[in-house]
Amino acid sequence: MKIERIDLYHISMRLVSPFVTSFGPQQQRDCLLTAVHAEGLTGWGECVATNDPGYSYETTGTAWHILGDFLIPALLGRDIAGPEALAPALSFVRGHPLAKAALDQSLWDLAAQADGVSMSARLVEPYAEGAKSRVPVGVSIGIQSSIGRTVEVIREYYEQGYRRIKLKIKPGHDVALGRAARAAFPDLPIMLDANSAFRLEDAPLFQAMDDLNLLMLEQPLGYEDIYDHSLLRPLIKTPLCLDESIHSDDHARYALAIGACDIINVKPSRVAGWTEARRIHDRCRAAGMPLWVGGMLETGIGRAAQLALASLPGFTLPGDISATERYYERDITGPFTLNTEDSTISVPSGVGLGVEIDHDYLNAVTLRRETFTASAA
Ligand code: OSB
Ligand code: MG
């Protein structure tokens, strides 16, 4: 596909409630969007970098720089055979997976549109079993003012129909929280996510959770670590999941080789896009390692593509993909809703991402927009 023009947006949307993790609070959710124009079609992508370098070193500012000064100019006027051909064309830029993933999503949307199918259908082509039409989901609950308040928030989401709960933890807000949640909900799948806030020396704290029957413990140790997780894993009963540490299929290979985890949270943005995410899916599925799709408080544009990925057969655990109302009062696409009878969200079946963009609202939340064309490059 010949890439004729790319529009870059910086948007800012207010979350319905602040999202607090071990690396800090977030109330305003900024992100970038890419609209890639090729052969009469437009493919949309979301760069989930935030204003602060908390989860990742990338921010909306670094992503704008890397996209606008390097990645986009490298694509303008080029004929890119398909999404699989994108990574080699961008490999001259080291790192910056969140910036690259926006363009990767745009190209998968374009490829699906060119074939007249949904992104899920385009991604699932290699697998005989086909795509799931609805995927199991849960809700990720940020750090609250108290344990009592956390239990109340769990109850609210439980009443809304969510049947997998993830709680953020940090030092001092850990074992007692898990214990209170388990006491209040004896049979609910509950998991904890530390976002790298602990060290291997904290192993006794995680051993104290062994009797809580947790679904998993997500990324307790360093955000680039694989080795210490492999040392922690045999010391605890709770299944160990990696998020931050896995930036590529190679990292998944290392983690499998040294037994660093039981489960991987695949965020397509963290691994530079859906092509690499699918490689990780194939490797882990062959190795029998369960997977789920993680989230970054996406808008409807990113959420549609998360759901397409989660429809692949190897994503067997509930994803961090919640209903729109859990994040935003109003979104730049139509809302996603929870199927309350089975805690799932339906995978969009329309062509491409399968969402309708509300351009009036998109304009209202846009802080900055720039159009890049081949001639101006
Ligand atoms: O660690 O999974 C994480 C959100 C922002 C940054 C990191 C994480 C998260 C979430 C939210 O847990 C998942 C979601 O609902 O989008
Ligand atoms: Mg996480």
Side-chain angles (χ1 to χ4, degrees):
M1 303 196 107
K2 187 150 191 265
I3 297 179
E4 290 136 18
R5 190 180 110 212
I6 300 179
D7 306 317
L8 185 59
Y9 296 74
H10 178 169
I11 68 169
S12 186
M13 284 166 49
R14 195 174 172 76
L15 292 164
V16 291
S17 60
F19 190 71
V20 183
T21 61
S22 62
F23 55 81
Q26 191 182 354
Q27 171 76 73
Q28 201 66 22
R29 202 282 190 169
D30 284 31
C31 69
L32 307 184
L33 300 175
T34 52
V36 177
H37 303 270
E39 295 167 18
L41 303 172
T42 302
W44 287 85
E46 178 164 337
C47 170
V48 300
T50 51
N51 284 343
D52 303 307
Y55 173 78
S56 155
Y57 62 81
E58 294 183 79
T59 66
T60 44
T62 69
W64 187 282
H65 165 55
I66 294 292
L67 280 159
D69 292 335
F70 301 101
L71 302 176
I72 290 174
L75 295 183
L76 292 171
R78 288 266 299 269
D79 201 348
I80 303 286
E84 289 92 342
L86 183 69
L90 302 182
S91 64
F92 72 101
V93 172
R94 286 197 183 174
H96 298 278
L98 306 187
K100 289 173 179 170
L103 294 169
D104 178 279
Q105 186 192 330
S106 287
L107 289 206
W108 278 101
D109 181 17
L110 276 174
Q113 288 181 46
D115 289 355
V117 299
S118 68
M119 184 166 161
S120 162
R122 185 67 169 69
L123 278 167
V124 84
E125 268 167 19
Y127 312 99
E129 26 315 54
K132 296 189 272 292
S133 59
R134 45 213 274 164
V135 300
V137 301
V139 64
S140 174
I141 300 176
I143 293 168
Q144 307 294 315
S145 53
S146 68
I147 290 178
R149 178 64 197 143
T150 312
V151 171
E152 274 174 34
V153 174
I154 299 173
R155 195 172 309 282
E156 284 164 23
Y157 285 120
Y158 185 83
E159 280 166 6
Q160 287 173 26
Y162 290 102
R163 289 296 179 268
R164 190 232 63 186
I165 297 290
K166 163 165 141 182
L167 303 176
K168 295 288 187 178
I169 58 168
K170 64 176 182 183
H173 184 75
D174 40 54
V175 186
L177 176 75
R179 198 158 291 288
R182 178 50 79 219
F185 297 91
D187 302 317
L188 184 63
I190 297 172
M191 55 182 284
L192 306 178
D193 184 2
N195 288 108
S196 296
F198 295 87
R199 302 189 48 77
L200 185 56
E201 294 74 49
D202 296 315
L205 191 142
F206 297 114
Q207 287 168 332
M209 299 176 176
D210 277 349
D211 64 333
L212 295 182
N213 188 29
L214 297 171
L215 183 62
M216 72 189 85
L217 169 65
E218 183 178 345
Q219 194 75 33
L221 310 181
Y223 58 84
E224 289 190 309
D225 171 77
I226 292 178
Y227 180 65
D228 278 355
H229 283 95
S230 80
L231 300 181
L232 176 64
R233 183 168 166 246
L235 301 178
I236 62 174
K237 290 215 180 80
T238 307
L240 198 50
C241 172
L242 289 177
D243 172 358
E244 279 90 333
S245 296
I246 305 295
H247 297 179
S248 64
D249 180 41
D250 274 337
H251 287 163
R253 184 165 59 84
Y254 308 153
L256 280 164
I258 66 168
C261 61
D262 301 282
I263 298 166
I264 293 178
N265 161 354
V266 181
K267 287 182 184 168
S269 51
R270 198 194 60 227
V271 301
W274 279 252
T275 303
E276 190 75 358
R278 205 171 59 171
R279 279 194 199 105
I280 295 174
H281 166 273
D282 295 350
R283 174 184 302 284
C284 292
R285 197 165 169 240
M289 178 173 286
L291 301 174
W292 53 282
V293 173
M296 293 289 288
L297 314 174
E298 280 83 351
T299 73
I301 288 179
R303 194 164 323 287
Q306 280 177 287
L307 288 162
L309 183 66
S311 74
L312 301 190
F315 290 100
T316 52
L317 291 166
D320 271 352
I321 312 171
S322 311
T324 302
E325 64 171 10
R326 179 261 171 277
Y327 307 96
Y328 305 106
E329 235 154 68
R330 182 174 170 189
D331 202 347
I332 52 175
T333 66
F336 288 91
T337 52
L338 185 73
N339 301 317
T340 53
E341 64 277 20
D342 58 359
S343 188
T344 63
I345 295 186
S346 298
V347 179
S349 57
V351 171
L353 291 174
V355 290
E356 197 85 48
I357 294 174
D358 176 345
H359 287 275
D360 288 337
Y361 192 56
L362 172 58
N363 284 336
V365 296
T366 297
L367 302 180
R368 180 181 181 194
R369 186 192 139 143
E370 195 168 332
T371 291
F372 299 82
T373 54
S375 51

